[in-house]
Amino acid sequence: MLKDIEQTTKTGFSKDFLWGGAIAASQADGAYNEGGKGLDTQDLRYFDSSWNREKRNENRNINMTSERFETALKATEIENYPFRWGIDFYHNYKNDLALFEEMGMKVFRTSINWARIFPNGDDENPNEEGIQFYIDLFEECHKKGMKVFATILHYNIPANLVVKYGGWKNRKTIDFYLRYAKVLFERIGNRVDYWLPFNEINAGKFNPYNGVCLIKDQEDDYESAIFQCIHHQFIANALTIKLAHEILPGSMVGGMIARFTTYPATCKPDDVMQMILDDQYSNFFYTDVMARGKYPAYMERYFRKNKVKIQKQAGDDELLAKNTVDFLSFSYYMSMVSTTDKEWAKASGNLVTGNKNPHLKSSDWGWQIDPVGLRISLNQMYDRYQLPLFIAENGIGAFDEIGEDGKIHDQYRIEYLREHIAQMKEAIIDGVNLIGYTMWGIIDIISCGTIEMSKRYGVIYVDRDERGQGTNKRIKKDSFYWYKKCIESDGEKLD
Ligand code: BG6
């Protein structure tokens, strides 16, 4: 029988689309030594508010050194370690969730801090106070009508695991991670609606200290060490999926990358080939392993060519093949340009410095703004995997100022969100199964890359400066009211 094609065609966001906001524990919680929490690897990142832009960028790209790490382990002051104070979400979460509820948010994404559950990472028993904190936090979300999208690991691991075992390089870390995940599934369980074992699993390649907690000066073969760590994360990811499905049948466990939509600089075949390779190396390798369940041939060739050595154990390949993700998610801030021209102008960006695209504008931090790139990525990823997609992060870091009227008129953020959300709608009409959107840094937090408080993403302002000074008061920005209207209208009112 003929079917009316219009009836099955999507015209935009559905009523159950998950509109939300995201943060991460290390960037927001503070209270670094309260509630039984141990030191974690982000607590050890040093920042000096007198640094100029150049120094800040340089600091972002320099990986942790052994000397810095040792000094930070002993440091007791907090001013120069902003991840130790964040925005004190730990004590303020009830008020902050009330603001999210006022906006009508349907989902809240945050990460669980491993060092709150296992302060040293290798403890035999978990820290009950830490477990209770997350039970309370997630129950409060549900009371306020929000689903919970929990990242099990957003970069920071208990510092002791690096000191004693070398972190992700050591296969033992998989066992410690599994012990941690098991406690979460058993004790926090159904209070989480969507699980994400790893934030941006491709970050290890671009920022090895953040992504896989490697300290460069301790490595003889840095690249092999990076991919060894990533292999261990893939295995931990597969085992976590298995465990979640056993303990919590029907649970949704996703995979995530930092997605870089990639264009060729010109239509020269060499540029197009370069684009294909860059896209594979930066993006698809990670989603291919997590969603298709095996290392792709293009990567095996890359490893051979670059003499990258990875130790796999018997059974690893079967494990990856049997335990693939239920959905895919990604952060999206910008796109990239691939070229064979070494002289091509450069641009700044999330995790990586890339080639400049002359057709795009940039943010205050030089990240190239590309809403259409989001539609392209949504289509590419859905075509390739046919899995539900969840945009776990998207937003703009900017300098926000409180005006004379005491308000923050962040028209630039409204424009950024409007244009990206409009492209999401287009992708849904294209046929992409997009289930949710958690805007990044829904409330101002410490920047992960440059450790600055002045790089603000939120629709809620936090009165705190780069030295941690201020009232810590929350102020709704113009974008708060805009996002509220967008959610109320199911993404239809974007003006
Ligand atoms: C993502 C990270 O890569 O980018 C977040 O998952 C981070 O933790 C976000 O905050 C934005 O980067 P930045 O450096 O502006 O904070």
Side-chain angles (χ1 to χ4, degrees):
M1 209 213 284
L2 282 178
K3 205 163 153 215
D4 183 354
I5 202 164
E6 284 307 315
Q7 281 175 14
T8 53
T9 303
K10 291 228 167 123
T11 54
F13 297 100
S14 68
K15 292 261 170 240
D16 50 11
F17 185 79
L18 293 167
W19 295 100
I23 57 171
S26 63
Q27 294 168 257
D29 291 358
Y32 82 105
N33 59 358
E34 289 180 53
K37 178 183 169 295
L39 266 186
D40 68 61
T41 46
Q42 293 290 325
D43 290 332
L44 305 182
R45 292 178 65 204
Y46 183 86
F47 173 75
D48 185 335
S49 57
S50 72
W51 284 341
N52 60 19
R53 171 74 25 225
E54 205 185 352
K55 184 88 185 150
R56 288 172 187 217
N57 287 342
E58 182 193 304
N59 182 58
R60 174 193 140 191
N61 293 325
I62 291 178
N63 290 290
M64 179 65 85
T65 62
S66 295
E67 198 186 331
R68 284 185 187 191
F69 190 85
E70 288 303 323
T71 309
L73 277 178
K74 289 184 221 118
T76 49
E77 52 97 10
I78 65 167
E79 184 179 311
N80 294 103
Y81 294 96
F83 293 113
R84 298 187 186 195
W85 39 267
I87 57 161
D88 201 16
F89 180 75
Y90 184 78
H91 293 112
N92 278 283
Y93 75 84
K94 285 202 176 150
N95 296 332
D96 292 338
L97 292 182
L99 289 169
F100 302 161
E101 182 186 26
E102 186 184 329
M103 245 188 306
M105 260 171 48
K106 309 218 167 114
V107 60
F108 173 54
R109 172 180 177 233
T110 191
S111 63
I112 298 171
N113 195 330
W114 186 349
R116 265 192 206 291
I117 307 292
F118 285 100
N120 301 298
D122 60 354
D123 318 71
E124 280 303 317
N125 298 308
N127 167 34
E128 289 299 322
E129 220 177 322
I131 297 177
Q132 196 56 47
F133 171 70
Y134 290 106
I135 290 179
D136 295 345
L137 172 67
F138 297 155
E139 286 188 350
E140 188 71 15
C141 289
H142 284 134
K143 262 191 240 158
K144 291 188 161 26
M146 280 173 272
K147 288 192 188 295
V148 173
F149 182 7
T151 315
I152 297 176
L153 190 63
H154 195 120
Y155 296 156
N156 53 338
I157 75 172
N160 178 56
L161 290 183
V162 177
V163 176
K164 249 177 143 171
Y165 305 94
W168 281 108
K169 224 173 68 172
N170 191 333
R171 203 166 164 117
K172 269 202 181 119
T173 297
I174 302 177
D175 301 335
F176 297 131
Y177 178 89
L178 259 280
R179 188 189 294 177
Y180 160 55
K182 187 161 185 262
V183 166
L184 302 185
F185 299 146
E186 285 177 348
R187 303 286 304 280
I188 300 177
N190 289 326
R191 293 176 188 90
V192 171
D193 303 279
Y194 295 89
W195 293 97
L196 191 59
F198 289 90
N199 179 63
E200 299 177 331
I201 204 162
N202 55 342
K205 177 75 178 91
F206 305 110
N207 193 326
Y209 181 73
N210 276 356
V212 291
C213 311
L214 269 190
I215 300 174
K216 190 173 180 184
D217 61 52
Q218 298 178 356
E219 301 309 324
D220 297 332
D221 179 354
Y222 197 35
E223 204 180 9
S224 292
I226 290 170
F227 281 108
Q228 185 65 58
C229 290
I230 292 172
H231 179 69
H232 289 157
Q233 292 192 338
F234 283 143
I235 296 300
N237 187 63
L239 286 166
T240 304
I241 296 170
K242 184 167 180 280
L243 196 66
H245 290 164
E246 281 163 12
I247 301 176
L248 301 167
S251 53
M252 291 287 283
V253 190
M256 178 188 174
I257 56 162
R259 170 73 183 152
F260 306 108
T261 309
T262 311
Y263 306 126
T266 69
C267 50
K268 264 196 339 220
D270 283 347
D271 280 351
V272 177
M273 192 60 226
Q274 190 59 47
M275 182 274 285
I276 290 174
L277 293 175
D278 288 345
D279 209 2
Q280 290 174 333
Y281 300 156
S282 306
N283 299 290
F284 290 136
F285 163 46
Y286 304 87
T287 40
D288 281 354
V289 174
M290 293 190 295
R292 291 178 165 169
K294 64 191 259 242
Y295 273 60
Y298 57 79
M299 216 53 206
E300 305 285 3
R301 178 173 183 183
Y302 175 92
F303 293 149
R304 277 196 305 276
K305 182 169 167 227
N306 294 286
K307 303 198 171 26
V308 171
K309 285 178 239 60
I310 304 173
Q311 308 269 329
K312 286 189 184 177
Q313 268 187 13
D316 281 2
D317 290 341
E318 291 72 21
L319 203 66
L320 293 176
K322 278 197 189 131
N323 300 285
T324 54
V325 292
D326 300 315
F327 67 98
L328 275 173
S329 63
F330 60 91
S331 62
Y332 177 80
Y333 294 94
M334 44 170 273
S335 53
M336 305 285 279
V337 171
S338 290
T339 175
T340 45
D341 177 355
K342 300 257 179 310
E343 303 304 313
W344 197 273
K346 298 284 176 257
S348 188
N350 182 28
L351 301 169
V352 276
T353 303
N355 296 312
K356 198 166 171 52
N357 185 332
H359 307 288
L360 300 176
K361 285 192 249 153
S362 302
S363 73
D364 293 343
W365 268 260
W367 296 19
Q368 303 182 98
I369 303 170
D370 181 10
V372 177
L374 178 55
R375 177 179 176 187
I376 294 171
S377 265
L378 284 166
N379 272 282
Q380 289 172 330
M381 289 182 65
Y382 193 62
D383 274 355
R384 193 171 179 114
Y385 303 109
Q386 299 281 300
L387 282 172
L389 299 180
F390 201 131
I391 300 171
E393 290 180 29
N394 170 246
I396 183 166
F399 290 109
D400 289 330
E401 273 173 23
I402 306 183
E404 281 174 12
D405 55 0
K407 297 183 173 159
I408 299 108
H409 302 297
D410 56 341
Q411 197 51 36
Y412 38 90
R413 181 166 295 107
I414 294 176
E415 246 137 61
Y416 182 98
L417 295 175
R418 177 192 294 129
E419 288 174 10
H420 283 79
I421 291 171
Q423 293 300 322
M424 283 154 49
K425 181 174 171 179
E426 291 302 322
I428 289 172
I429 300 171
D430 293 337
V432 172
N433 183 13
L434 177 63
I435 57 172
Y437 173 77
T438 43
M439 194 216 133
W440 180 251
I442 189 74
I443 180 166
D444 293 345
I445 49 177
I446 309 288
S447 152
C448 180
T450 41
I451 328 185
E452 299 159 286
M453 185 65 214
S454 56
K455 187 179 189 189
R456 296 171 180 275
Y457 284 84
V459 298
I460 301 163
Y461 186 88
V462 176
D463 179 30
R464 199 158 241 211
D465 68 15
E466 294 188 324
R467 297 173 52 230
Q469 305 298 312
T471 61
N472 208 29
K473 196 175 132 198
R474 282 39 177 167
I475 307 169
K476 296 171 210 166
K477 303 181 195 177
D478 286 359
S479 54
F480 177 97
Y481 302 100
W482 181 88
Y483 195 38
K484 181 175 186 327
K485 227 169 51 181
C486 163
I487 298 175
E488 266 163 18
S489 66
D490 296 315
E492 285 302 315
K493 282 219 173 90
L494 300 180
D495 50 334

